[in-house]
């Protein structure tokens, strides 16, 4: 049965954040709010949790997982970003965008796109996530909480608890955070390609 944390969206309780991060460090899988919708999150090197995410969402090997990062300093450890691409990303960050970039050797191979050797990264504009990242000290391995054969992500913490009670270890409920996933921009070739239109304005990358 999943642990349920009811937290304030703008001033999350430190004790709840500490307990949720401890669960991540102990190998747990959490459902948590972002600035675009809820997501599934785990510690970066947690293969078991990665497999659980694949099972819950029925994902294939080509799916791009996302590293949710606290800031650019952290992001720069895991992806290669040229100056022009950096400026483009910085202009809309933090925000509801995911960027696909060539991964560094710091990223576990099982997270990479099998052919492109790329990974998704983002810096969300959400205080609950930022509190989690500050406490954890590393990116959260993440995937949008969109269940198979459903068009829209889950948007309510209580519903996530009800439906995934035996598939995740914790649910962090900070209220409704929207139902639109991030806009995904692929920079792996050095040129922006919008591969999913979402909560972030895609027009500046088209």
């Amino acid at each position: 049965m999943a642990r349920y944390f009811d937290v304030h969206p703008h001033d999350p309780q430190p004790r709840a954040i500490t307990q949720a991060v401890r669960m991540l460090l102990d190998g747990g899988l959490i459902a948590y709010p972002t600035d675009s919708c809820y997501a599934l999150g785990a510690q970066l090197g947690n293969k078991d949790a990665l497999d659980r995410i694949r099972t819950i969402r029925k994902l294939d090997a080509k799916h791009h997982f996302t590293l949710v990062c606290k800031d650019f300093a952290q992001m720069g450890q895991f992806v290669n970003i040229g100056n022009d691409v950096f400026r483009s990303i910085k202009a809309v960050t933090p925000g509801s965008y995911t960027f696909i970039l060539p991964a560094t050797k710091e990223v576990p191979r099982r997270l990479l796109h099998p052919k492109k050797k790329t990974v998704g990264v983002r810096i969300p504009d959400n205080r609950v996530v930022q509190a989690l990242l500050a406490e954890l000290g590393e990116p959260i391995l993440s995937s949008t909480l969109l269940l198979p054969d459903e068009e829209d992500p889950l948007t309510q913490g209580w519903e996530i608890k009800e439906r995934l009670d035996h598939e995740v270890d914790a649910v962090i409920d900070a209220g409704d955070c929207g139902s639109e996933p991030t806009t995904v921009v692929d920079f792996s070739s050095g040129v922006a390609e919008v591969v999913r239109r979402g909560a972030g304005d895609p027009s500046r990358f088209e």
Side-chain angles (χ1 to χ4, degrees):
M1 186 176 290
R3 184 86 181 271
Y4 184 75
F5 297 99
D6 187 3
V7 304
H8 193 281
H10 303 298
D11 190 19
Q13 298 89 322
R15 185 180 177 193
I17 295 298
T18 298
Q19 289 175 336
V21 167
R22 191 173 298 137
M23 294 182 82
L24 286 174
L25 293 171
D26 286 342
L29 176 63
I30 68 170
Y32 70 101
T34 75
D35 53 354
S36 59
C37 60
Y38 277 82
L40 295 167
Q43 194 177 17
L44 188 57
N46 189 339
K47 182 181 183 300
D48 176 62
L50 179 70
D51 292 339
R52 290 167 68 188
I53 293 172
R54 287 191 190 279
T55 300
I56 290 169
R57 292 202 53 202
K58 292 191 165 83
L59 300 173
D60 63 26
K62 295 180 181 178
H63 178 76
H64 268 110
F65 284 91
T66 299
L67 304 183
V68 175
C69 301
K70 185 176 186 299
D71 50 32
F72 276 103
Q74 193 174 77
M75 184 188 286
Q77 299 174 45
F78 297 93
V79 289
N80 295 306
I81 313 176
N83 290 336
D84 290 344
V85 173
F86 174 81
R87 282 192 288 270
S88 296
I89 293 176
K90 190 170 176 57
V92 297
T93 298
S96 302
Y97 296 87
T98 298
F99 301 99
I100 296 171
L101 291 160
T104 68
K105 292 181 179 179
E106 298 296 317
V107 181
R109 287 185 63 184
R110 67 179 73 94
L111 301 184
L112 303 181
H113 185 283
K115 291 184 178 178
K116 296 182 177 181
K117 308 302 180 194
T118 49
V119 71
V121 287
R122 66 176 299 227
I123 301 173
D125 186 14
N126 178 282
R127 294 202 180 170
V128 176
V129 185
Q130 286 292 338
L132 288 168
L133 291 166
E135 181 77 15
L136 183 62
E138 61 183 52
I140 297 173
L141 165 65
S142 194
S143 183
T144 303
L145 213 175
L146 181 61
L147 298 180
D149 304 319
E150 296 192 16
E151 291 187 10
D152 298 314
L154 299 178
T155 61
Q156 301 292 336
W158 62 266
E159 184 184 7
I160 295 167
K161 168 87 164 87
E162 202 170 78
R163 295 186 61 181
L164 297 179
D165 204 19
H166 299 287
E167 297 184 74
V168 300
D169 299 299
V171 176
I172 301 174
D173 188 349
D176 191 343
C177 60
S179 60
E180 201 169 9
T182 56
T183 291
V184 179
V185 184
D186 189 341
F187 269 115
S188 57
S189 68
V191 179
E193 178 189 355
V194 177
V195 294
R196 182 177 74 192
R197 292 167 172 271
D201 179 9
S203 63
R204 63 191 307 138
F205 296 105
E206 294 176 323

